[in-house]
């Protein structure tokens, strides 16, 4: 199975600040069709995960441009700029390239 | 608007079978695939399996011997059945809509506790 390793485990940020979350996969996430199926999700307290970014860098409908995704192969990053209170929660990366699809263990974003 | 809603028992006895239903609206099961994903408390999600839009299925090999996913397109429902439940199967179970290699919509989840 593809192992997704997220760092850091937790992150403290001031409102208005910027943070980066890293996600590394144990195998390349480039599919045979040339696409890279790496997604980022945010799970707010008591809620279901919600999609933020798909195929590495594409923002889902309604997602602020303060969220940006980058990377390739096995190394990916989510950046959040001008952090707002509604951004707090646990961020997960997930891959849809190989079976079984897998997720990282999460990065908790908290207020400093 | 796209919605998914899970339903099923909140408590299951060890060694028994879990049966869950995902009722969808706002899209067709013959156009989109639906996955089941579970999440133990405080841990990352685990993909369990998928009902493809064409009726085919795919399963996580770790669960394949215990898991079955089916659907009724006339009722807009996808079903999960998993047997021989143990305490480490406790968690929140979600159904998700799958597209472009991702899960774009998630249900609210149903909490399942395996306990005698």
């Amino acid at each position: 199975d593809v192992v997704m390793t997220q760092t850091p485990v937790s992150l403290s940020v001031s409102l208005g600040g910027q943070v980066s979350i890293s996600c590394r996969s144990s195998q390349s996430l480039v599919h045979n069709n040339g696409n890279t199926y790496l997604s980022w999700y945010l799970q707010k307290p008591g809620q279901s995960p919600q999609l933020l970014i798909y195929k590495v860098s594409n923002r889902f409908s309604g997602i602020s441009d303060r969220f940006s995704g980058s990377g390739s192969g096995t190394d990916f990053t989510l950046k959040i700029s001008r952090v707002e209170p509604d951004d707090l929660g646990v961020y997960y990366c997930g891959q849809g390239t190989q079976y079984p699809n897998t997720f990282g263990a999460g990065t908790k974003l908290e207020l400093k | 608007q796209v919605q998914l809603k899970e339903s099923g028992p909140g408590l299951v006895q060890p060694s028994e079978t879990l049966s869950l239903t995902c009722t969808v609206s706002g899209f067709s099961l013959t156009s989109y695939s639906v996955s089941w994903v579970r999440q133990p408390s405080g841990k990352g999600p685990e993909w369990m399996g998928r009902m493809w839009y064409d009726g085919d299925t795919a399963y996580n090999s770790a669960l394949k011997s215990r898991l079955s996913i089916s659907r009724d397109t006339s009722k807009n429902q996808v079903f999960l059945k998993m047997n021989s439940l143990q305490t480490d199967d406790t968690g929140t179970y979600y159904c998700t809509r799958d597209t472009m290699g991702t899960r774009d919509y998630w249900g609210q989840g149903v909490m399942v506790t395996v306990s005698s």
Side-chain angles (χ1 to χ4, degrees), chain A residues 6-51:
Chain A
Q6 285 184 239
T7 54
V9 172
S10 64
L11 209 43
S12 293
V13 63
S14 301
L15 293 178
Q18 177 173 299
V19 295
S20 292
I21 300 171
S22 171
C23 176
R24 288 185 173 167
S25 57
S26 61
Q27 301 172 36
S28 173
L29 298 186
V30 180
H31 193 275
N32 289 340
N33 64 14
N35 289 312
T36 300
Y37 297 115
L38 184 283
S39 302
W40 290 96
Y41 305 87
L42 165 60
Q43 188 169 31
K44 299 177 186 178
Q47 295 187 18
S48 309
Q50 61 181 92
L51 178 64

Side-chain angles (χ1 to χ4, degrees), chain B residues 15-36:
Chain B
S15 80
E16 294 201 341
T17 297
L18 173 66
S19 294
L20 298 176
T21 298
C22 173
T23 303
V24 310
S25 59
F27 69 97
S28 171
L29 292 177
T30 59
S31 296
Y32 288 88
S33 304
V34 169
S35 279
W36 285 97

Side-chain angles (χ1 to χ4, degrees), chain A residues 1 37-41 43 47-51 53-55 60-61 92 95-97 99-106, chain B residues 35 37 39 42-47 50 52 58-62 94 98 100-109:
Chain A
D1 296 2
Y37 297 115
L38 184 283
S39 302
W40 290 96
Y41 305 87
Q43 188 169 31
Q47 295 187 18
S48 309
Q50 61 181 92
L51 178 64
I53 302 282
Y54 64 95
K55 287 201 292 184
F60 186 51
S61 173
Y92 295 99
Q95 65 85 14
T97 295
Y99 281 123
N101 295 169
T102 49
F103 295 85
Chain B
S35 279
V37 175
Q39 185 176 30
K43 294 190 177 181
E46 177 187 29
W47 178 78
R50 173 183 292 128
W52 284 95
Y59 297 106
N60 188 325
S61 54
Y94 300 97
D98 291 2
M100 294 178 291
T102 192
R103 343 220 99 77
D104 60 352
Y105 290 93
W106 296 59
Q108 65 189 22

